[in-house]
Amino acid sequence: MLRVTLAALHLFALAFGLGAVYVRGRSLTERPLTLGAVRRAFVADSWWGIAAGLWIATGLWRLFAGTEKATSYYLHNDAFFAKMALLIIILALEIWPMMTLIRWRKAVAKSSDAWQPDEIVAGRITKISYIQAALGLAMVVAAVLMARGYGYRGP
Ligand code: HEM
């Protein structure tokens, strides 16, 4: 039952996460950029954060509890390392949008009427979000290969 629950939660995170990061990027393309659009991006950003937490927690659990295969299988698998490398790139790309959106959330909370979002910055967050979504799809390919024995180098 634990095996099935973790696998389902891992895939729920995939569904929410890729949708959320895409919607975050899409919301910030509106011109002129309204406060309503920025607020939609905040909601999507929160879901993206929740999905990332769920992904990593369930992924690490599946890895170390050996619910599908022994931990050593993954540690000798190039597709697994490709998947982790892609995750590191996604997380590194997230630093700047995360800091920016935290600043924006504070600014909106302080003076929502007076505050004007910077459309150039918003455009950059959109580009980064779309790149992260594409890298997330590449992670799915690596995961599917890894789960089916591809990339295994033997113990
Ligand atoms: C620390 C992060 C992560 C770890 C340690 C991890 C680990 C795992 C493990 C151990 C499995 C089981 C594979 C098997 O059945 O042998 C798995 C499956 C899977 N993971 Fe992850 N994962 C992580 C993050 C992610 C992310 C961010 C995504 C998507 C973008 C993802 C997508 C998938 C998919 C689609 C499967 C199912 C593959 C299949 O059964 O065909 N994982 N993951």
Side-chain angles (χ1 to χ4, degrees), residues 10-11 14 18 55-56 58-60 62-63 68-69 73-74 80 83-84 87 135-137 139-140 143-144 146-148:
H10 205 61
L11 293 182
L14 176 62
L18 288 191
W55 251 331
I56 294 172
T58 54
L60 290 174
R62 296 178 89 187
L63 172 66
E68 302 293 339
K69 300 170 184 73
Y73 166 81
Y74 302 106
F80 172 75
K83 187 178 161 187
M84 291 302 105
L87 180 64
L135 292 171
L137 291 178
M139 279 192 80
V140 173
V144 166
M146 159 193 105
R148 283 158 188 78

mmCIF file of all heavy atoms in Angstrom, residues 10-11 14 18 55-56 58-60 62-63 68-69 73-74 80 83-84 87 135-137 139-140 143-144 146-148, ligand 1:
data_model
loop_
_atom_site.group_PDB
_atom_site.id
_atom_site.type_symbol
_atom_site.label_atom_id
_atom_site.label_comp_id
_atom_site.label_asym_id
_atom_site.label_seq_id
_atom_site.Cartn_x
_atom_site.Cartn_y
_atom_site.Cartn_z
ATOM 1 N N HIS A 10 3.695 10.823 -6.126
ATOM 2 C CA HIS A 10 4.788 11.278 -6.999
ATOM 3 C C HIS A 10 4.204 11.764 -8.340
ATOM 4 O O HIS A 10 4.607 12.794 -8.860
ATOM 5 C CB HIS A 10 5.740 10.105 -7.228
ATOM 6 C CG HIS A 10 7.148 10.483 -7.563
ATOM 7 N ND1 HIS A 10 7.948 11.217 -6.716
ATOM 8 C CD2 HIS A 10 7.929 10.213 -8.649
ATOM 9 C CE1 HIS A 10 9.127 11.378 -7.275
ATOM 10 N NE2 HIS A 10 9.152 10.791 -8.463
ATOM 11 N N LEU A 11 3.210 11.022 -8.844
ATOM 12 C CA LEU A 11 2.605 11.413 -10.127
ATOM 13 C C LEU A 11 1.626 12.571 -9.966
ATOM 14 O O LEU A 11 1.472 13.391 -10.878
ATOM 15 C CB LEU A 11 1.953 10.201 -10.799
ATOM 16 C CG LEU A 11 2.944 9.113 -11.254
ATOM 17 C CD1 LEU A 11 2.221 7.965 -11.949
ATOM 18 C CD2 LEU A 11 4.019 9.668 -12.202
ATOM 19 N N LEU A 14 3.601 15.550 -10.262
ATOM 20 C CA LEU A 14 3.922 15.818 -11.674
ATOM 21 C C LEU A 14 2.785 16.601 -12.335
ATOM 22 O O LEU A 14 3.012 17.621 -12.995
ATOM 23 C CB LEU A 14 4.147 14.479 -12.383
ATOM 24 C CG LEU A 14 4.392 14.499 -13.881
ATOM 25 C CD1 LEU A 14 5.663 15.261 -14.190
ATOM 26 C CD2 LEU A 14 4.487 13.083 -14.424
ATOM 27 N N LEU A 18 3.810 20.582 -13.136
ATOM 28 C CA LEU A 18 4.031 21.079 -14.503
ATOM 29 C C LEU A 18 2.931 22.057 -14.895
ATOM 30 O O LEU A 18 3.194 23.079 -15.531
ATOM 31 C CB LEU A 18 4.126 19.920 -15.498
ATOM 32 C CG LEU A 18 5.403 19.082 -15.413
ATOM 33 C CD1 LEU A 18 5.517 18.148 -16.597
ATOM 34 C CD2 LEU A 18 6.654 19.944 -15.334
ATOM 35 N N TRP A 55 7.222 16.153 -4.653
ATOM 36 C CA TRP A 55 8.057 15.388 -5.562
ATOM 37 C C TRP A 55 9.308 14.873 -4.868
ATOM 38 O O TRP A 55 9.662 13.718 -4.945
ATOM 39 C CB TRP A 55 8.579 16.324 -6.655
ATOM 40 C CG TRP A 55 7.993 16.114 -7.982
ATOM 41 C CD1 TRP A 55 7.514 14.957 -8.502
ATOM 42 C CD2 TRP A 55 7.817 17.140 -8.975
ATOM 43 N NE1 TRP A 55 7.067 15.202 -9.776
ATOM 44 C CE2 TRP A 55 7.234 16.506 -10.081
ATOM 45 C CE3 TRP A 55 8.107 18.494 -9.026
ATOM 46 C CZ2 TRP A 55 6.938 17.205 -11.248
ATOM 47 C CZ3 TRP A 55 7.811 19.172 -10.170
ATOM 48 C CH2 TRP A 55 7.228 18.550 -11.269
ATOM 49 N N ILE A 56 9.984 15.828 -4.231
ATOM 50 C CA ILE A 56 11.282 15.495 -3.634
ATOM 51 C C ILE A 56 11.076 14.539 -2.460
ATOM 52 O O ILE A 56 11.777 13.532 -2.332
ATOM 53 C CB ILE A 56 12.043 16.787 -3.257
ATOM 54 C CG1 ILE A 56 12.390 17.541 -4.552
ATOM 55 C CG2 ILE A 56 13.291 16.483 -2.445
ATOM 56 C CD1 ILE A 56 12.975 18.924 -4.362
ATOM 57 N N THR A 58 8.509 12.403 -1.837
ATOM 58 C CA THR A 58 8.100 11.051 -2.264
ATOM 59 C C THR A 58 9.212 10.371 -3.066
ATOM 60 O O THR A 58 9.416 9.159 -2.942
ATOM 61 C CB THR A 58 6.798 11.085 -3.102
ATOM 62 O OG1 THR A 58 6.973 12.007 -4.190
ATOM 63 C CG2 THR A 58 5.605 11.515 -2.277
ATOM 64 N N GLY A 59 9.948 11.174 -3.859
ATOM 65 C CA GLY A 59 11.042 10.608 -4.652
ATOM 66 C C GLY A 59 12.129 10.038 -3.759
ATOM 67 O O GLY A 59 12.575 8.897 -3.945
ATOM 68 N N LEU A 60 12.532 10.825 -2.739
ATOM 69 C CA LEU A 60 13.591 10.354 -1.843
ATOM 70 C C LEU A 60 13.117 9.131 -1.055
ATOM 71 O O LEU A 60 13.878 8.185 -0.816
ATOM 72 C CB LEU A 60 14.024 11.481 -0.895
ATOM 73 C CG LEU A 60 14.796 12.633 -1.560
ATOM 74 C CD1 LEU A 60 15.055 13.754 -0.558
ATOM 75 C CD2 LEU A 60 16.117 12.153 -2.165
ATOM 76 N N ARG A 62 10.901 6.885 -2.043
ATOM 77 C CA ARG A 62 10.915 5.722 -2.944
ATOM 78 C C ARG A 62 12.343 5.234 -3.171
ATOM 79 O O ARG A 62 12.600 4.034 -3.267
ATOM 80 C CB ARG A 62 10.293 6.097 -4.288
ATOM 81 C CG ARG A 62 8.851 6.457 -4.194
ATOM 82 C CD ARG A 62 8.311 6.871 -5.542
ATOM 83 N NE ARG A 62 7.807 5.733 -6.294
ATOM 84 C CZ ARG A 62 7.403 5.801 -7.563
ATOM 85 N NH1 ARG A 62 7.464 6.926 -8.219
ATOM 86 N NH2 ARG A 62 6.933 4.737 -8.177
ATOM 87 N N LEU A 63 13.252 6.194 -3.242
ATOM 88 C CA LEU A 63 14.659 5.841 -3.481
ATOM 89 C C LEU A 63 15.246 5.069 -2.297
ATOM 90 O O LEU A 63 15.831 3.997 -2.473
ATOM 91 C CB LEU A 63 15.460 7.139 -3.719
ATOM 92 C CG LEU A 63 16.967 7.029 -3.800
ATOM 93 C CD1 LEU A 63 17.388 6.221 -5.030
ATOM 94 C CD2 LEU A 63 17.607 8.420 -3.875
ATOM 95 N N GLU A 68 10.308 0.226 -4.938
ATOM 96 C CA GLU A 68 10.201 -0.356 -6.289
ATOM 97 C C GLU A 68 11.386 -1.275 -6.566
ATOM 98 O O GLU A 68 11.220 -2.405 -6.968
ATOM 99 C CB GLU A 68 10.183 0.755 -7.355
ATOM 100 C CG GLU A 68 9.061 1.770 -7.206
ATOM 101 C CD GLU A 68 7.683 1.176 -7.461
ATOM 102 O OE1 GLU A 68 7.581 0.134 -8.126
ATOM 103 O OE2 GLU A 68 6.701 1.774 -6.972
ATOM 104 N N LYS A 69 12.591 -0.708 -6.336
ATOM 105 C CA LYS A 69 13.828 -1.459 -6.575
ATOM 106 C C LYS A 69 14.790 -1.103 -5.453
ATOM 107 O O LYS A 69 14.574 -0.086 -4.770
ATOM 108 C CB LYS A 69 14.437 -1.054 -7.926
ATOM 109 C CG LYS A 69 13.512 -1.323 -9.114
ATOM 110 C CD LYS A 69 14.029 -0.694 -10.378
ATOM 111 C CE LYS A 69 13.078 -0.880 -11.545
ATOM 112 N NZ LYS A 69 11.862 -0.051 -11.477
ATOM 113 N N TYR A 73 20.204 -0.070 -7.104
ATOM 114 C CA TYR A 73 19.834 -0.074 -8.531
ATOM 115 C C TYR A 73 19.913 1.347 -9.088
ATOM 116 O O TYR A 73 20.497 1.590 -10.151
ATOM 117 C CB TYR A 73 18.412 -0.642 -8.723
ATOM 118 C CG TYR A 73 17.866 -0.360 -10.109
ATOM 119 C CD1 TYR A 73 18.228 -1.153 -11.204
ATOM 120 C CD2 TYR A 73 17.042 0.754 -10.347
ATOM 121 C CE1 TYR A 73 17.774 -0.865 -12.482
ATOM 122 C CE2 TYR A 73 16.583 1.047 -11.627
ATOM 123 C CZ TYR A 73 16.955 0.236 -12.691
ATOM 124 O OH TYR A 73 16.511 0.538 -13.951
ATOM 125 N N TYR A 74 19.313 2.300 -8.349
ATOM 126 C CA TYR A 74 19.284 3.687 -8.836
ATOM 127 C C TYR A 74 20.683 4.302 -8.819
ATOM 128 O O TYR A 74 21.030 5.088 -9.689
ATOM 129 C CB TYR A 74 18.319 4.532 -8.001
ATOM 130 C CG TYR A 74 16.908 3.973 -8.013
ATOM 131 C CD1 TYR A 74 16.376 3.321 -6.906
ATOM 132 C CD2 TYR A 74 16.141 4.060 -9.160
ATOM 133 C CE1 TYR A 74 15.099 2.797 -6.930
ATOM 134 C CE2 TYR A 74 14.855 3.524 -9.201
ATOM 135 C CZ TYR A 74 14.346 2.896 -8.080
ATOM 136 O OH TYR A 74 13.073 2.357 -8.116
ATOM 137 N N PHE A 80 18.928 7.655 -13.857
ATOM 138 C CA PHE A 80 18.606 8.262 -12.556
ATOM 139 C C PHE A 80 19.460 9.518 -12.350
ATOM 140 O O PHE A 80 18.952 10.569 -11.938
ATOM 141 C CB PHE A 80 18.845 7.259 -11.416
ATOM 142 C CG PHE A 80 18.724 7.888 -10.052
ATOM 143 C CD1 PHE A 80 17.470 8.207 -9.537
ATOM 144 C CD2 PHE A 80 19.850 8.187 -9.293
ATOM 145 C CE1 PHE A 80 17.350 8.815 -8.288
ATOM 146 C CE2 PHE A 80 19.735 8.789 -8.049
ATOM 147 C CZ PHE A 80 18.484 9.098 -7.541
ATOM 148 N N LYS A 83 18.248 12.297 -14.403
ATOM 149 C CA LYS A 83 17.026 12.852 -13.786
ATOM 150 C C LYS A 83 17.388 13.815 -12.661
ATOM 151 O O LYS A 83 16.834 14.912 -12.559
ATOM 152 C CB LYS A 83 16.179 11.670 -13.265
ATOM 153 C CG LYS A 83 14.807 12.080 -12.762
ATOM 154 C CD LYS A 83 14.017 10.848 -12.312
ATOM 155 C CE LYS A 83 12.889 11.313 -11.418
ATOM 156 N NZ LYS A 83 12.131 10.286 -10.780
ATOM 157 N N MET A 84 18.346 13.419 -11.822
ATOM 158 C CA MET A 84 18.744 14.279 -10.706
ATOM 159 C C MET A 84 19.454 15.544 -11.205
ATOM 160 O O MET A 84 19.264 16.629 -10.650
ATOM 161 C CB MET A 84 19.657 13.511 -9.731
ATOM 162 C CG MET A 84 18.950 12.416 -8.962
ATOM 163 S SD MET A 84 17.550 12.997 -7.988
ATOM 164 C CE MET A 84 16.181 12.417 -8.954
ATOM 165 N N LEU A 87 16.883 17.896 -12.270
ATOM 166 C CA LEU A 87 16.225 18.494 -11.097
ATOM 167 C C LEU A 87 17.076 19.620 -10.519
ATOM 168 O O LEU A 87 16.557 20.687 -10.148
ATOM 169 C CB LEU A 87 15.969 17.414 -10.030
ATOM 170 C CG LEU A 87 15.296 17.910 -8.748
ATOM 171 C CD1 LEU A 87 13.891 18.440 -9.024
ATOM 172 C CD2 LEU A 87 15.207 16.798 -7.698
ATOM 173 N N LEU A 135 12.154 21.187 -18.934
ATOM 174 C CA LEU A 135 13.102 20.312 -18.223
ATOM 175 C C LEU A 135 12.345 19.258 -17.402
ATOM 176 O O LEU A 135 12.805 18.119 -17.258
ATOM 177 C CB LEU A 135 14.023 21.139 -17.316
ATOM 178 C CG LEU A 135 15.022 22.065 -18.037
ATOM 179 C CD1 LEU A 135 15.724 22.979 -17.040
ATOM 180 C CD2 LEU A 135 16.059 21.245 -18.805
ATOM 181 N N GLY A 136 11.174 19.648 -16.878
ATOM 182 C CA GLY A 136 10.323 18.695 -16.141
ATOM 183 C C GLY A 136 9.886 17.557 -17.062
ATOM 184 O O GLY A 136 9.888 16.392 -16.660
ATOM 185 N N LEU A 137 9.567 17.886 -18.314
ATOM 186 C CA LEU A 137 9.187 16.836 -19.278
ATOM 187 C C LEU A 137 10.379 15.928 -19.568
ATOM 188 O O LEU A 137 10.232 14.705 -19.667
ATOM 189 C CB LEU A 137 8.668 17.470 -20.581
ATOM 190 C CG LEU A 137 7.325 18.198 -20.479
ATOM 191 C CD1 LEU A 137 6.951 18.825 -21.817
ATOM 192 C CD2 LEU A 137 6.219 17.249 -20.018
ATOM 193 N N MET A 139 12.652 15.264 -17.482
ATOM 194 C CA MET A 139 12.775 14.411 -16.285
ATOM 195 C C MET A 139 11.862 13.206 -16.385
ATOM 196 O O MET A 139 12.206 12.109 -15.933
ATOM 197 C CB MET A 139 12.410 15.193 -15.017
ATOM 198 C CG MET A 139 13.512 16.049 -14.483
ATOM 199 S SD MET A 139 13.115 16.647 -12.824
ATOM 200 C CE MET A 139 13.532 15.230 -11.823
ATOM 201 N N VAL A 140 10.663 13.415 -16.948
ATOM 202 C CA VAL A 140 9.727 12.296 -17.099
ATOM 203 C C VAL A 140 10.342 11.228 -18.010
ATOM 204 O O VAL A 140 10.276 10.032 -17.712
ATOM 205 C CB VAL A 140 8.368 12.792 -17.656
ATOM 206 C CG1 VAL A 140 7.458 11.614 -17.987
ATOM 207 C CG2 VAL A 140 7.682 13.727 -16.660
ATOM 208 N N ALA A 143 12.892 9.406 -16.087
ATOM 209 C CA ALA A 143 12.249 8.550 -15.066
ATOM 210 C C ALA A 143 11.699 7.269 -15.691
ATOM 211 O O ALA A 143 11.873 6.173 -15.144
ATOM 212 C CB ALA A 143 11.121 9.324 -14.378
ATOM 213 N N VAL A 144 11.062 7.421 -16.844
ATOM 214 C CA VAL A 144 10.467 6.257 -17.519
ATOM 215 C C VAL A 144 11.567 5.277 -17.941
ATOM 216 O O VAL A 144 11.432 4.050 -17.784
ATOM 217 C CB VAL A 144 9.630 6.753 -18.735
ATOM 218 C CG1 VAL A 144 9.270 5.620 -19.663
ATOM 219 C CG2 VAL A 144 8.375 7.475 -18.255
ATOM 220 N N MET A 146 14.607 5.045 -16.550
ATOM 221 C CA MET A 146 15.185 4.511 -15.304
ATOM 222 C C MET A 146 14.328 3.390 -14.724
ATOM 223 O O MET A 146 14.838 2.359 -14.294
ATOM 224 C CB MET A 146 15.285 5.692 -14.335
ATOM 225 C CG MET A 146 15.370 5.393 -12.891
ATOM 226 S SD MET A 146 15.095 6.936 -11.981
ATOM 227 C CE MET A 146 13.444 6.686 -11.376
ATOM 228 N N ALA A 147 13.011 3.576 -14.757
ATOM 229 C CA ALA A 147 12.098 2.589 -14.167
ATOM 230 C C ALA A 147 12.101 1.278 -14.943
ATOM 231 O O ALA A 147 11.705 0.240 -14.415
ATOM 232 C CB ALA A 147 10.684 3.166 -14.107
ATOM 233 N N ARG A 148 12.536 1.339 -16.207
ATOM 234 C CA ARG A 148 12.478 0.144 -17.066
ATOM 235 C C ARG A 148 13.845 -0.458 -17.366
ATOM 236 O O ARG A 148 14.011 -1.199 -18.331
ATOM 237 C CB ARG A 148 11.730 0.479 -18.355
ATOM 238 C CG ARG A 148 10.245 0.526 -18.097
ATOM 239 C CD ARG A 148 9.462 1.328 -19.087
ATOM 240 N NE ARG A 148 8.082 1.452 -18.603
ATOM 241 C CZ ARG A 148 7.701 2.312 -17.646
ATOM 242 N NH1 ARG A 148 8.577 3.114 -17.086
ATOM 243 N NH2 ARG A 148 6.452 2.350 -17.227
HETATM 244 C C1 HEM B 1 14.627 14.064 -5.379
HETATM 245 C C2 HEM B 1 13.805 13.947 -6.420
HETATM 246 C C3 HEM B 1 13.307 12.645 -6.971
HETATM 247 C C4 HEM B 1 13.681 11.347 -6.673
HETATM 248 C C5 HEM B 1 14.741 10.866 -5.675
HETATM 249 C C6 HEM B 1 12.865 10.468 -7.481
HETATM 250 C C7 HEM B 1 12.901 9.084 -7.444
HETATM 251 C C8 HEM B 1 12.038 8.254 -8.097
HETATM 252 C C9 HEM B 1 11.951 6.830 -7.929
HETATM 253 C C10 HEM B 1 12.813 6.009 -6.954
HETATM 254 C C11 HEM B 1 11.005 6.350 -8.772
HETATM 255 C C12 HEM B 1 10.553 4.860 -8.932
HETATM 256 C C13 HEM B 1 11.143 4.295 -10.203
HETATM 257 C C14 HEM B 1 10.859 2.820 -10.355
HETATM 258 O O1 HEM B 1 9.697 2.423 -10.511
HETATM 259 O O2 HEM B 1 11.849 2.058 -10.333
HETATM 260 C C15 HEM B 1 10.487 7.487 -9.508
HETATM 261 C C16 HEM B 1 9.512 7.415 -10.495
HETATM 262 C C17 HEM B 1 9.112 8.469 -11.261
HETATM 263 N N1 HEM B 1 9.522 9.782 -11.135
HETATM 264 FE FE1 HEM B 1 10.733 10.529 -9.685
HETATM 265 N N2 HEM B 1 12.039 11.245 -8.273
HETATM 266 C C18 HEM B 1 12.288 12.568 -7.995
HETATM 267 C C19 HEM B 1 11.678 13.646 -8.605
HETATM 268 C C20 HEM B 1 10.877 13.562 -9.730
HETATM 269 C C21 HEM B 1 10.420 14.683 -10.529
HETATM 270 C C22 HEM B 1 10.734 16.154 -10.217
HETATM 271 C C23 HEM B 1 9.714 14.173 -11.601
HETATM 272 C C24 HEM B 1 9.034 14.845 -12.748
HETATM 273 C C25 HEM B 1 9.365 15.980 -13.281
HETATM 274 C C26 HEM B 1 9.688 12.746 -11.456
HETATM 275 C C27 HEM B 1 9.047 11.880 -12.324
HETATM 276 C C28 HEM B 1 8.891 10.523 -12.109
HETATM 277 C C29 HEM B 1 8.043 9.663 -12.918
HETATM 278 C C30 HEM B 1 7.173 10.094 -14.114
HETATM 279 C C31 HEM B 1 8.176 8.366 -12.384
HETATM 280 C C32 HEM B 1 7.462 7.100 -12.859
HETATM 281 C C33 HEM B 1 8.323 6.371 -13.862
HETATM 282 C C34 HEM B 1 7.601 5.091 -14.358
HETATM 283 O O3 HEM B 1 7.159 4.286 -13.536
HETATM 284 O O4 HEM B 1 7.488 4.942 -15.575
HETATM 285 N N3 HEM B 1 10.408 12.412 -10.321
HETATM 286 N N4 HEM B 1 11.119 8.624 -9.078
#
